[in-house]
Amino acid sequence: MFKKNLQVSDLGEKKLIERIVEKSKDFEFNSNKYLNSYIGDDAALIDFNNNLTNEKNYLVATTDLLIQKHHFPLQMSFFQMGWKAVTVNVSDIAAMGAKPVGILISLAIPPNLALESFEEMIDGILEACNYYKIPLIGGDTNEDDEIIISGTALGKVEQSLAKKKYGFKIGDKLAITGQLGLAALGFELLKEENKEIIEKSIENKKISSDLVDLSIDAALNPKARLNEGIILSKIASSVTDITDGLASELYELFEANKNFNRNNNLGIRVYEDKIANEPLFEEIYDLSKILNKDIFDLIFHIGEDFELLFTFNNDNENSIIDELSKKLNFIIIGEINNYNKVEIEYCDGKVQKLSSKGYEHLSND
Amino acid sequence: MFKKNLQVSDLGEKKLIERIVEKSKDFEFNSNKYLNSYIGDDAALIDFNNNLTNEKNYLVATTDLLIQKHHFPLQMSFFQMGWKAVTVNVSDIAAMGAKPVGILISLAIPPNLALESFEEMIDGILEACNYYKIPLIGGDTNEDDEIIISGTALGKVEQSLAKKKYGFKIGDKLAITGQLGLAALGFELLKEENKEIIEKSIENKKISSDLVDLSIDAALNPKARLNEGIILSKIASSVTDITDGLASELYELFEANKNFNRNNNLGIRVYEDKIANEPLFEEIYDLSKILNKDIFDLIFHIGEDFELLFTFNNDNENSIIDELSKKLNFIIIGEINNYNKVEIEYCDGKVQKLSSKGYEHLSND
């Protein structure tokens, strides 16, 4: 038990969730036969089979709650708020390799919200549902001082294809589905204090307005990698989506494996130079420097990229890489080893334990 | 389209939801074959069958978001908040006649919340999950100034047994699973301004402290009628749960029928004296009088009872009533006729169109 005067902020989100999981073990019903995932994964997997046939599916269920002042920057339109709320939930479905079944959305809105703004938000929700082909199947509206959008996405996946945060083996390659850092950079670009320097840098041709637009678009109009998740379900050994920064997600994989294979020594190593090999890296690097930001800090500790982070077995040398390359864009950034930790190898060859400090809610640290 | 300067409060919750449903029809994907219910029902029904077998099930999904200052009275403990959040969602599963599969809970909590209070809230959630035998399968925690609990409950029901808000026929009886008005009375009793008069009335033996305790318990520790819903799935012609007052729910049934059978004239009549036949009615009546409240106003327009309102076919005279009586407590309060409206027959025999004004969020009326 904890000391009497502790506050939730003394623990942080991850420890609070661990506390819930720990408490839930006291109850017999939570050994329920329907449950096939642990609470730390991107989504829950629920057995929805018929014992009479061989087709074995999981229902995939995930929920995410977005609060105006924490998740929606001031520059975000009502349309974009609706779009983002659908995207964050679909992204978790994507990480499990599932196909969309339906989404439920609960809204809280201020009573003095202009009806036009409400309609824009609904348009954002429905256009996103249309984009991902996930029907809006239910919801709830409430009154509050600020906008809150809570979504629950449901998906379906063949049991043998469901992808979790564990399942990788020694020698597996570690990869991402696209450019990291753009969204984090976009959020920096949106800050009022950076407005002037951006305008000047574009004027002096130090940075391209295209990259500025691309970054802001990544921040305000994120896309979940749903199709990529379905492709990866047939090839990857583990998948998760990058919402809280790469470092935080790497530790999620590392810890998920530990939860299920206490006796192995699997570790993860990422390479700074491989991340720097991303097509747009040099331009992104220059832009972050102008903003007085370290691009690796944005990539490792801010996130909001909604790309997929995955591992795959590459025993047959390059045949799987060739196959994957035909189907989706990806960049190999590391591999699974047996050093029992999460490490980064810097461009100068120095190897160090990776700092786990991604963006974490509710923490005082 | 609406006028430019309208606010969401000019429409109210029901019209806002109608607007979402209307907009969603513009999108092809919403004619999705998985969807078997309309958004106005207690929960969504999603086809989860295997075409190779004859077993046809629906996945049932529903979501409800509770906000501290609107849904949790000051006297409610953290344990009770957690309990209520699970109950409101399970109640919608119960109304569909479904068995619980799992529940997802998203939380927002203030960073300065005492860890002890957080733990109490989690205990309330887990004890309720245990009570309803619904495993907690996922969730999310966030930071906010106030407590928000968003739940999504999933259930499973044989397709032939799924109960909707429509499906009743002329001559069907209308019934409820238990005592109405207790919870609404409980919320009145909790008001600071009523404290003194309650204490005096108990002292003078004008009211029993048992009834006061019972009412407060109904308000603070509501129970969803899950087992009753499963029993009714085999007998009833339609079911819904009473969350927003009886009047509002009667109109929900009336309108659901109209949505699916535009050409019939089915109407509903309830009888004041039948509602007054409830076992505790006289005591409840006296208590509400002391509080300067009209008990019928509380029953029809406040709600929060979480009892089930249902219809059933009674062609074989009393045989179904006998069967039902063995399995659950219920009170017949009206019937389905062909007068094409929702009416109340008062104790003096006068019949009038029932006012539809249940408690509605976001409305300015």
Side-chain angles (χ1 to χ4, degrees):
Chain A
M1 264 301 179
F2 299 104
K3 278 179 289 176
K4 278 255 171 184
N5 51 359
L6 281 180
Q7 299 184 340
V8 290
S9 55
D10 296 322
L11 267 79
E13 187 180 9
K14 207 175 273 184
K15 285 225 173 66
L16 291 177
I17 290 177
E18 279 171 18
R19 192 74 198 108
I20 299 173
V21 175
E22 201 181 297
K23 270 178 174 286
S24 72
K25 288 180 186 155
D26 298 343
F27 294 93
E28 164 265 340
F29 70 94
N30 262 323
S31 63
N32 194 293
K33 61 181 173 167
Y34 290 121
L35 200 57
N36 297 281
S37 56
Y38 77 110
I39 289 190
D41 221 315
D42 295 300
L45 296 174
I46 304 146
D47 221 327
F48 247 81
N49 294 322
N50 198 306
N51 293 331
L52 303 173
T53 67
N54 289 325
E55 200 196 292
K56 292 195 180 294
N57 286 311
Y58 283 134
L59 169 73
V60 180
T62 180
T63 186
D64 254 312
L65 184 146
L66 302 183
I67 297 167
Q68 188 164 19
K69 66 172 153 297
H70 300 295
H71 300 98
F72 304 135
L74 280 178
Q75 296 87 345
M76 199 172 239
S77 69
F78 291 99
F79 183 96
Q80 289 165 337
M81 293 178 196
W83 179 283
K84 184 175 179 180
V86 174
T87 295
V88 296
N89 282 289
V90 170
S91 183
D92 284 326
I93 293 289
M96 307 305 278
K99 290 173 185 162
V101 164
I103 190 164
L104 301 105
I105 299 277
S106 280
L107 295 173
I109 44 178
N112 64 352
L113 182 74
L115 197 57
E116 219 184 344
S117 307
F118 172 79
E119 300 239 333
E120 277 176 36
M121 195 160 67
I122 300 304
D123 285 340
I125 290 169
L126 289 170
E127 288 284 357
C129 288
N130 196 42
Y131 179 79
Y132 301 117
K133 301 281 173 256
I134 187 166
L136 178 67
I137 56 172
D140 180 31
T141 69
N142 293 275
E143 179 181 322
D144 198 36
D145 308 332
E146 58 181 338
I147 292 172
I148 300 164
I149 315 183
S150 175
T152 302
L154 304 175
K156 193 178 178 179
V157 63
E158 267 182 57
Q159 290 195 4
S160 59
L161 298 181
K163 283 293 160 287
K164 301 165 186 174
K165 286 186 181 173
Y166 58 96
F168 45 82
K169 302 238 171 343
I170 189 164
D172 280 10
K173 296 285 177 197
L174 179 79
I176 49 174
T177 52
Q179 185 69 57
L180 296 186
L182 275 178
L185 210 51
F187 284 113
E188 286 299 319
L189 290 166
L190 287 169
K191 287 182 180 164
E192 195 55 37
E193 71 235 42
N194 287 328
K195 211 172 164 182
E196 207 176 318
I197 193 163
I198 301 299
E199 279 167 12
K200 270 194 189 153
S201 304
I202 293 176
E203 227 172 89
N204 303 340
K205 305 206 169 168
K206 280 192 185 163
I207 53 171
S208 83
S209 64
D210 282 0
L211 183 66
V212 170
D213 292 347
L214 196 68
S215 303
I216 291 175
D217 187 60
L220 297 183
N221 303 302
K223 309 277 190 303
R225 296 296 191 190
L226 191 55
N227 294 332
E228 288 80 352
I230 292 168
I231 293 165
L232 288 173
S233 71
K234 291 172 188 139
I235 294 172
S237 50
S238 70
V239 184
T240 190
D241 63 332
I242 305 174
T243 48
D244 288 342
L246 183 57
S248 163
E249 305 302 344
L250 288 169
Y251 275 96
E252 294 273 327
L253 295 189
F254 179 75
E255 282 156 20
N257 168 66
K258 286 283 169 275
N259 261 310
F260 281 83
N261 308 285
R262 285 185 191 281
N263 297 323
N264 75 26
N265 290 315
L266 294 186
I268 304 173
R269 182 177 292 188
V270 286
Y271 298 88
E272 201 183 53
D273 64 348
K274 292 195 175 177
I275 293 170
N277 257 337
E278 290 185 332
L280 286 173
F281 189 82
E282 254 178 75
E283 267 197 274
I284 290 178
Y285 182 84
D286 293 344
L287 181 50
S288 65
K289 254 181 104 175
I290 287 167
L291 298 172
N292 250 326
K293 288 282 165 185
D294 178 342
I295 181 64
F296 286 108
D297 191 50
L298 295 182
I299 289 175
F300 278 103
H301 302 308
I302 301 298
E304 295 270 353
D305 288 305
F306 294 101
E307 297 295 343
L308 297 177
L309 172 69
F310 62 99
T311 57
F312 63 96
N313 182 285
N314 196 34
D315 284 350
N316 302 326
E317 303 253 315
N318 289 327
S319 67
I320 290 178
I321 294 180
D322 286 348
E323 193 192 333
L324 257 182
S325 303
K326 283 178 203 147
K327 292 178 178 164
L328 81 167
N329 292 322
F330 69 100
I331 304 155
I332 295 174
I333 60 166
E335 79 254 327
I336 305 299
N337 57 30
N338 60 356
Y339 298 164
N340 209 18
K341 52 189 152 189
V342 181
E343 298 168 316
I344 179 162
E345 185 175 316
Y346 292 101
C347 293
D348 62 8
K350 205 180 127 196
V351 178
Q352 207 175 304
K353 184 168 178 284
L354 185 68
S355 159
S356 68
K357 275 199 57 174
Y359 177 68
E360 204 186 331
H361 308 283
L362 293 166
S363 179
N364 263 345
D365 307 348
Chain B
M1 264 303 178
F2 299 104
K3 278 180 290 176
K4 281 255 173 184
N5 51 359
L6 281 180
Q7 299 182 343
V8 291
S9 55
D10 295 322
L11 267 80
E13 187 180 9
K14 207 176 274 185
K15 285 224 171 66
L16 291 177
I17 290 176
E18 279 172 16
R19 191 75 198 109
I20 299 173
V21 175
E22 202 181 296
K23 270 180 174 283
S24 73
K25 288 180 186 155
D26 298 344
F27 294 93
E28 165 265 340
F29 70 92
N30 261 323
S31 63
N32 193 292
K33 61 181 172 165
Y34 291 120
L35 200 57
N36 297 282
S37 56
Y38 78 112
I39 289 189
D41 222 315
D42 295 300
L45 296 175
I46 304 146
D47 221 327
F48 247 81
N49 295 323
N50 198 306
N51 293 330
L52 302 175
T53 66
N54 289 325
E55 198 196 293
K56 293 194 180 296
N57 286 311
Y58 283 135
L59 169 72
V60 180
T62 180
T63 186
D64 254 313
L65 185 146
L66 302 183
I67 297 167
Q68 188 164 20
K69 65 171 154 300
H70 300 295
H71 299 99
F72 303 135
L74 280 179
Q75 296 85 345
M76 198 172 241
S77 69
F78 292 99
F79 183 96
Q80 289 165 336
M81 293 179 196
W83 179 283
K84 185 174 178 181
V86 174
T87 296
V88 296
N89 282 290
V90 170
S91 183
D92 285 326
I93 294 289
M96 308 306 278
K99 290 173 186 160
V101 164
I103 190 164
L104 301 105
I105 299 277
S106 279
L107 295 173
I109 44 177
N112 63 354
L113 182 73
L115 196 58
E116 218 185 346
S117 307
F118 171 79
E119 299 240 332
E120 275 176 36
M121 195 161 65
I122 300 305
D123 285 340
I125 290 169
L126 290 170
E127 288 284 359
C129 288
N130 195 43
Y131 179 79
Y132 301 117
K133 300 282 173 254
I134 188 167
L136 177 66
I137 57 172
D140 180 31
T141 69
N142 293 275
E143 178 180 324
D144 199 35
D145 308 332
E146 58 180 339
I147 291 172
I148 301 164
I149 314 183
S150 175
T152 300
L154 304 174
K156 193 177 178 180
V157 63
E158 265 181 58
Q159 289 195 5
S160 60
L161 298 182
K163 283 294 160 285
K164 301 165 186 176
K165 287 185 179 173
Y166 58 95
F168 45 82
K169 302 237 171 342
I170 189 164
D172 280 10
K173 296 287 176 197
L174 179 79
I176 48 174
T177 51
Q179 185 68 56
L180 296 186
L182 275 179
L185 210 51
F187 285 112
E188 287 300 318
L189 290 167
L190 287 170
K191 288 181 180 165
E192 195 56 37
E193 73 235 41
N194 288 328
K195 210 172 165 182
E196 205 176 321
I197 193 163
I198 301 301
E199 279 169 11
K200 269 196 192 153
S201 304
I202 292 177
E203 226 173 273
N204 303 339
K205 305 204 168 164
K206 280 191 184 164
I207 53 172
S208 83
S209 64
D210 282 358
L211 184 65
V212 169
D213 292 346
L214 196 68
S215 302
I216 290 176
D217 186 59
L220 297 183
N221 303 301
K223 308 277 189 305
R225 296 296 190 189
L226 191 56
N227 293 332
E228 288 80 354
I230 292 167
I231 293 165
L232 288 173
S233 71
K234 292 172 188 140
I235 295 171
S237 51
S238 71
V239 184
T240 190
D241 62 331
I242 305 173
T243 49
D244 288 342
L246 183 58
S248 164
E249 306 302 344
L250 289 169
Y251 275 97
E252 293 272 327
L253 295 188
F254 179 75
E255 283 156 21
N257 168 67
K258 286 283 169 276
N259 260 311
F260 282 83
N261 309 285
R262 283 184 193 283
N263 298 322
N264 76 27
N265 289 316
L266 295 185
I268 304 173
R269 183 177 291 188
V270 285
Y271 298 87
E272 202 182 53
D273 63 349
K274 292 195 175 177
I275 293 171
N277 257 336
E278 291 183 332
L280 287 174
F281 190 83
E282 254 179 78
E283 267 197 273
I284 291 178
Y285 181 84
D286 292 343
L287 180 52
S288 65
K289 252 180 107 174
I290 287 169
L291 298 172
N292 250 325
K293 289 281 164 187
D294 178 342
I295 182 64
F296 286 108
D297 190 49
L298 295 182
I299 289 175
F300 278 103
H301 303 308
I302 301 297
E304 297 268 354
D305 288 305
F306 294 100
E307 297 294 343
L308 298 176
L309 172 69
F310 62 100
T311 58
F312 63 96
N313 182 285
N314 196 35
D315 284 351
N316 302 326
E317 303 252 316
N318 289 327
S319 66
I320 291 180
I321 295 180
D322 286 348
E323 194 192 331
L324 258 182
S325 304
K326 282 178 205 149
K327 292 177 178 164
L328 80 169
N329 292 323
F330 69 100
I331 304 154
I332 295 173
I333 59 166
E335 79 255 327
I336 305 299
N337 58 29
N338 60 355
Y339 298 162
N340 208 19
K341 53 190 152 186
V342 181
E343 298 168 318
I344 179 163
E345 185 174 317
Y346 293 101
C347 291
D348 62 6
K350 206 179 125 196
V351 177
Q352 206 174 304
K353 184 167 177 286
L354 186 68
S355 160
S356 66
K357 276 198 57 174
Y359 176 67
E360 203 185 333
H361 308 283
L362 293 165
S363 180
N364 264 343
D365 305 349

